[in-house]
């Protein structure tokens, strides 16, 4: 579990960063469905059922408890507006973490992504990870800007790695040493 912290976003709203809790279930459904409906550049395209999300959250809480996963959600005015994670790999790659982040429309461009990334990097160091890895769609300019700002560099790409609505998009891999 990460240590909760508060900061003021660029638009003046207060944001709490903390680990997810069981009570966040309904907010998380709303959050993930909003990203799926929007068709933003992420792998998830389908809405979730309450049962699916409850199963997902149960597994996630167990993994956080065991130290297999580092997570941070952002809460604004009592609502979850962002979710993120670093999943630790195992065995000979246990020094590597896979990072993912998503922020709800209406809460982007105000510094939440930057603060979440700082927290994930810090917590990954505490967890003795050495390398963070992530993938983004080549079309996702805001994601690219955030990752470059946070010290990630491109390590490769899969040409046409994504097929979205019949159109092929490169999938870019970025890495950051800790
Ligand atoms: C990508 C995402 C996580 C960025 O988070 P964010 O909170 O909007 O980012 P920030 O406000 O901290 O901005 C970080 C930097 O990105 C850049 N940026 C922000 N919005 C941008 C935009 N619309 N276009 C281009 N660059 C942008 C800025 O350079 C900014 O740096 P600055 O604050 O020094 O000016 C967020 O847009 C998002 O969740 N998008 C939808 C889901 C998604 O794409 N997830 C990532 C999948 S790989």
């Amino acid at each position: 579990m990460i240590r909760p912290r508060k900061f003021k976003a660029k638009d003046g709203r207060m944001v709490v960063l903390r680990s997810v809790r069981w009570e966040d279930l309904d907010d998380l459904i709303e959050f993930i469905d909003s990203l799926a409906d929007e068709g933003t550049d992420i792998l998830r395209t389908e809405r979730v059922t309450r049962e699916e999300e409850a199963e997902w959250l149960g597994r996630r809480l167990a993994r956080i408890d065991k130290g297999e996963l580092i997570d941070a959600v952002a809460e604004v005015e009592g609502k979850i507006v962002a979710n993120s994670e670093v999943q630790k790999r195992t065995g000979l790659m246990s020094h590597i973490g896979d990072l993912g982040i998503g922020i709800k429309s209406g809460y982007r461009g105000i510094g939440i992504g930057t603060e979440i990334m700082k927290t994930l990097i810090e917590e990954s160091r505490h967890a003795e990870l050495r390398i963070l890895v992530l993938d983004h769609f080549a079309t996702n300019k805001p994601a690219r800007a955030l990752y470059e700002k946070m010290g990630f560099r491109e390590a490769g790409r899969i040409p046409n790695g994504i097929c979205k609505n019949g159109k092929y998009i490169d999938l870019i891999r970025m890495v950051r040493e800790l």
Side-chain angles (χ1 to χ4, degrees):
M1 292 240 295
I2 66 160
R3 203 155 30 89
R5 73 181 180 90
K6 269 190 192 171
F7 67 95
K8 198 184 255 191
K10 283 184 188 167
D11 68 352
R13 284 184 282 191
M14 286 310 294
V15 184
V16 178
L17 293 190
R18 60 167 173 82
S19 278
V20 74
R21 301 193 279 250
W22 182 252
E23 307 82 85
D24 296 324
L25 177 61
D26 289 314
D27 267 13
L28 286 168
I29 295 170
E30 203 181 311
F31 165 75
I32 197 67
D33 282 350
S34 77
L35 290 184
D37 290 350
E38 185 191 352
T40 191
D41 279 349
I42 56 167
L43 289 176
R44 172 173 278 285
T45 53
E46 304 292 321
R47 297 185 125 234
V48 290
T49 65
R50 197 163 200 283
E51 198 185 353
E52 283 166 348
E53 191 69 359
E55 262 180 41
W56 173 86
L57 182 55
R59 283 196 305 273
R60 192 169 183 88
L61 291 169
R63 295 191 68 206
I64 294 167
D65 229 32
K66 285 194 256 174
E68 294 171 0
L69 187 136
I70 298 162
D71 88 306
V73 296
E75 186 187 314
V76 175
E77 291 154 357
K79 279 275 188 195
I80 301 296
V81 301
N83 191 22
S84 68
E85 66 186 24
V86 171
Q87 299 207 43
K88 290 193 207 172
R89 295 193 186 181
T90 56
L92 299 183
M93 290 198 284
S94 56
H95 58 299
I96 298 181
D98 293 290
L99 188 147
I101 179 169
I103 295 163
K104 204 171 179 177
S105 173
Y107 298 88
R108 297 176 190 152
I110 56 170
I112 295 179
T114 301
E115 292 303 319
I116 288 179
M117 294 291 285
K118 280 188 201 162
T119 295
L120 292 178
I121 288 169
E122 195 54 36
E123 295 287 335
S124 296
R125 285 198 185 109
H126 281 151
E128 294 180 353
L129 291 177
R130 302 292 299 273
I131 302 171
L132 291 178
V133 172
L134 57 81
D135 294 325
H136 74 85
F137 294 20
T139 42
N140 195 341
K141 302 289 179 223
R144 177 68 181 213
L146 172 65
Y147 302 148
E148 281 182 352
K149 177 182 170 185
M150 300 313 298
F152 283 76
R153 62 180 164 80
E154 186 169 327
R157 67 168 68 201
I158 302 177
N160 302 325
I162 297 290
C163 182
K164 185 177 174 186
N165 303 325
K167 277 198 177 157
Y168 289 94
I169 302 169
D170 290 357
L171 184 67
I172 299 178
R173 171 142 293 195
M174 298 187 87
V175 296
R176 188 197 198 278
E177 282 83 25
L178 297 173

